Amino acid sequence: MAADEPLVLGIETSCDETGVGIVRGTTLLADAVASSVDTHARFGGVVPEIASRAHLEAMVPTIERALKEAGVSARDLDGIAVTSGPGLAGALLVGVSAAKAYAYALGKPLYGVNHLASHICVDQLEHGPLPEPTMALLVSGGHSSLLLAPDITADVRPLGATIDDAAGEAFDKIARVLDLGFPGGPVIDRLAREGDPKAIAFPRGLTGPRDAPYDFSFSGLKTSVARWIEAKRAAGEEVPVRDVAASFQEAVVDVLTRKAVRACKDEGVDHLMIGGGVAANSRLRALAQERCERAGIRLRVPRPKLCTDNGAMVAALGAEMVARNRLPSDLELSADSSLPVTEPHVPGAAHAHAHSRAHDHDHVHEISKDNLYS
Ligand code: KG4
Ligand code: ZN
């Protein structure tokens, strides 16, 4: 770890995790997370107002905990990064407001960064600098996409995405149908280990020869699993929860890995990065490893704690922004709940201002000339 690498604090509040991470370059120094997931569990999903209030209460203590854990002073930071989107508007706003306050008070540059690009960049903390381009399969509660990123700070290109539910959303919905609580991913992952993935042949969405090669669809699978369970219940039979979990999970990870490996082959990229909460799934990790090995592709997946939402991923992308001299955001930065994946960060308007000032100047000049000669 070189002392001249950028020291950046990252704040993540896009959903129900208040995450604050500190990194120097690509080295993780602190990863403090306060989660309000238990408060949401009894509602079967994240309640935005509850999440925002929990962020507000956890924000300052989590920042202080991270600084202590990293053993650095806020004065030494080279920048403050924050998730400015996509995510829940009210939840994002708490993080963005906090980041602006700290950046202003400390006189540090502010970087509003993209949550999805952060899920990819976090792997730098575990496996070193990302190759360029990076092929990434991004699978979370709100998104499922295949992305080709020649430069994670400035150039992220979507090859395909889900046309209905996100992969994590499908896990959460099936867990609800099976009365397994929220969030569904971790519990289905656990139960599936004791089930038979071949017990029930659930459909693989969008895998026909005429289907878009890199798009995903999980809504048909979800309906099919729900109907299968209903039919069992209606017949008064016991639902084999472990087999259903294993067979459902297999359908999801089969399609995800198949399409990701195909994208690597088609684009001539010899490695694959998997990020987002669903990347914590043990079967997804195992099957991806198996298929990548067979295809001669190197697989990079961060450890599970770095896959689910955290502040370290935001700090990792922020540090990359500083290292590559990307333009910081303005203090007017706002939360953007639907920030597109193609915008890794929200640069300030410095260029626009410079341009409009030059323009004003020309304008003034012309008027004075007019005055002179008229
Ligand atoms: O990235 P993330 O923490 O938050 C979003 O940005 O959405 O992803 C959360 C999603 C949830 O849907 C959760 O059920 C899923 O990731 N998830 C998993 C696992 N751990 C979390 N899905 C499958 N297997 C897991 N082990
Ligand atoms: Zn996420």
Side-chain angles (χ1 to χ4, degrees):
M1 174 172 76
D4 59 351
E5 285 182 304
L7 180 69
V8 172
L9 179 141
I11 299 175
E12 154 63 35
T13 63
S14 70
C15 195
D16 56 346
E17 259 90 39
T18 312
V20 180
I22 299 176
V23 311
R24 188 183 290 283
T26 58
T27 307
L28 176 63
L29 303 184
D31 182 16
V33 178
S35 177
S36 62
V37 69
D38 295 341
T39 331
H40 305 287
R42 65 194 172 102
F43 299 101
V46 175
V47 184
E49 287 78 5
I50 296 179
S52 306
R53 173 167 288 265
H55 286 311
L56 205 53
E57 286 166 3
M59 196 75 263
V60 174
T62 312
I63 289 178
E64 285 170 358
R65 190 148 59 86
L67 287 167
K68 201 167 161 209
E69 194 181 313
V72 299
S73 153
R75 281 189 304 275
D76 301 331
L77 295 169
D78 295 306
I80 305 225
V82 61
T83 303
S84 57
L88 301 171
L92 287 167
L93 204 56
V94 178
V96 168
S97 306
K100 290 203 276 196
Y102 277 85
Y104 180 69
L106 296 163
K108 307 288 180 187
L110 171 74
Y111 296 85
V113 304
N114 190 305
H115 181 78
L116 309 173
S118 302
H119 267 307
I120 298 171
C121 199
V122 71
D123 195 48
Q124 300 208 132
L125 305 178
E126 185 147 340
H127 299 113
L130 285 168
E132 294 186 326
T134 279
M135 179 68 75
L137 170 65
L138 179 85
V139 274
S140 70
H143 298 264
S144 301
S145 325
L146 265 168
L147 306 163
L148 186 65
D151 175 347
I152 195 59
T153 64
D155 188 2
V156 179
R157 303 171 190 174
L159 299 181
T162 178
I163 59 164
D164 39 57
D165 294 348
E169 207 177 340
F171 273 92
D172 296 335
K173 285 179 180 169
I174 293 306
R176 198 178 311 163
V177 177
L178 289 169
D179 296 321
L180 299 175
F182 175 85
V187 51
I188 289 190
D189 190 348
R190 206 166 52 243
L191 289 170
R193 279 176 215 162
E194 295 154 22
D196 176 5
K198 294 200 181 84
I200 312 145
F202 288 128
R204 271 58 172 163
L206 289 187
T207 50
R210 272 199 287 277
D211 288 328
Y214 312 131
D215 279 347
F216 304 104
S217 165
F218 298 109
S219 143
L221 168 65
K222 182 191 70 193
T223 310
S224 165
V225 177
R227 287 223 181 104
W228 195 92
I229 296 168
E230 264 167 42
K232 278 274 166 200
R233 284 179 180 153
E237 292 174 35
E238 201 183 322
V239 177
V241 177
R242 289 171 173 75
D243 285 349
V244 173
S247 301
F248 156 74
Q249 176 177 274
E250 197 66 16
V252 175
V253 307
D254 175 25
V255 177
L256 290 176
T257 52
R258 217 191 294 177
K259 294 201 172 206
V261 167
R262 172 161 178 191
C264 289
K265 285 184 181 165
D266 290 353
E267 296 289 331
V269 177
D270 65 358
H271 69 276
L272 171 68
M273 187 275 156
I274 309 187
V278 182
N281 185 269
S282 60
R283 179 62 186 146
L284 174 61
R285 300 168 80 95
L287 189 60
Q289 185 60 47
E290 201 181 302
R291 290 184 170 170
C292 281
E293 252 167 43
R294 213 179 303 145
I297 293 166
R298 194 164 90 79
L299 179 67
R300 294 173 58 127
V301 200
R303 57 182 175 272
K305 188 166 184 250
L306 293 179
C307 289
T308 49
D309 290 349
N310 62 79
M313 66 191 215
V314 180
L317 184 54
E320 202 56 47
M321 294 291 169
V322 177
R324 297 193 185 216
N325 282 317
R326 298 284 171 239
L327 199 65
S329 305
D330 286 336
L331 279 178
E332 288 88 64
L333 175 74
S334 50
D336 180 353
S337 60
S338 53
L339 185 67
V341 69
T342 46
E343 289 173 31
H345 96 296
V346 183
H351 286 312
H353 281 159
H355 180 260
S356 69
R357 265 200 303 276
H359 189 79
D360 287 350
H361 184 78
D362 288 342
H363 190 61
V364 169
H365 188 67
E366 272 162 28
I367 290 171
S368 55
K369 254 194 305 192
D370 283 348
N371 290 346
L372 213 62
Y373 299 114
S374 62

